[in-house]
Amino acid sequence: MATLRSGSVSLVGAGPGDPELLTVKAIKAIRGASVLLVDDLVGPGVLRYARKSARIVHVGKRGGCASTPQAFIHRLMVAEAQRGETVVRLKGGDPFVFGRGGEEAEHLRAAGITVDVVNGISSGLAAATSLGVPWTHREHAHGVLLVTGHAGESNAELHWPTLAAAAAQGLTLVVYMGVQRLASIQAGLLTGLPAETPAALVQHASTARERRLITHIGSLSEDARAAGIGSPAILIVGNVLLACPAGAAERTEVDTASLVSAQLPRPSSRRTS
Ligand code: SAH
């Protein structure tokens, strides 16, 4: 059990949005927090577990939008912990899958502050589950690569032809932060994969606003634009999408609300009472 020490910081994964996908450990940490520093990809339902007396500070950092500088977040975490607060840094998905959880943990440790990390369900995993496919499959995918589509401040561009070659070997590609750069990602993938390789986008995975698009890399950016799919979304590329439930692998935009009302089978983790 995660016991929060006074004056500590806990980096807590809030999961992809659906509060029912929080871990028990995350709920305990949120309940125990006196201060919560919250990313903007954290689903609003998650905050219902916070104490009424807790101070909630929104420190969103969305690419391309007005955002809180990372240095400010670092300073705030340290200052609150040094004042003896029980700080929960609530991050979308898993704290250690992109989203700078690693940098935050290093900064806190360097400042002599104890850091706990509580895993969350990463949005890339939730997106695959929403599509009804696994990341790996004995017949279609022998591994998975999690990559960012956004080079960020480090400017370290990924080599998409290499990733395409890996996907051609039977690895599923799961791309975070790729929606703004779909056209160039598509061009890179087409250097090593056939145009008919299946690709899917899931926006707002696990929430009431979820939207899914299943297509092929040959028309990926065009179809995404036509469907109006924007951030936050996960791109999944690979033959594992061939294992989509019947009808799902067509080039159609699927609306979750209509699926629910049509009583089509949903993954059990998404079932609502
Ligand atoms: N730590 C997070 C990822 C942070 S990077 C995690 O494990 O999920 C931010 C990116 O995550 C977004 O650009 C988007 O690609 C993805 N993302 C986060 N929440 C999402 C959601 N509910 N649906 C689809 N993509 C999401």
Side-chain angles (χ1 to χ4, degrees), residues 24-68:
V24 174
K25 240 179 183 175
I27 293 174
K28 284 181 180 168
I30 295 167
R31 279 195 182 135
S34 58
V35 175
L36 291 115
L37 308 180
V38 183
D39 268 354
D40 52 9
L41 284 178
V42 170
V46 168
L47 293 175
R48 77 162 80 123
Y49 293 104
R51 286 190 219 153
K52 287 220 166 22
S53 59
R55 192 149 42 90
I56 296 176
V57 185
H58 292 273
V59 289
K61 275 191 62 60
R62 297 295 300 279
C65 302
S67 64
T68 311

Side-chain angles (χ1 to χ4, degrees), residues 128-155:
T129 303
S130 290
L131 292 162
V133 292
W135 269 354
T136 63
H137 188 291
R138 249 171 13 127
E139 281 162 36
H140 305 294
H142 312 297
V144 56
L145 280 174
L146 308 187
V147 299
T148 169
H150 183 263
E153 287 154 23
S154 71
N155 235 6

Side-chain angles (χ1 to χ4, degrees), residues 16 41 92-94 97-99 122-123 176-177 202-205 231-234:
L41 284 178
D94 185 273
V97 178
F98 303 115
S122 190
S123 54
Y176 293 71
M177 296 173 273
V202 184
Q203 182 180 18
H204 294 301
S231 186
I234 291 288

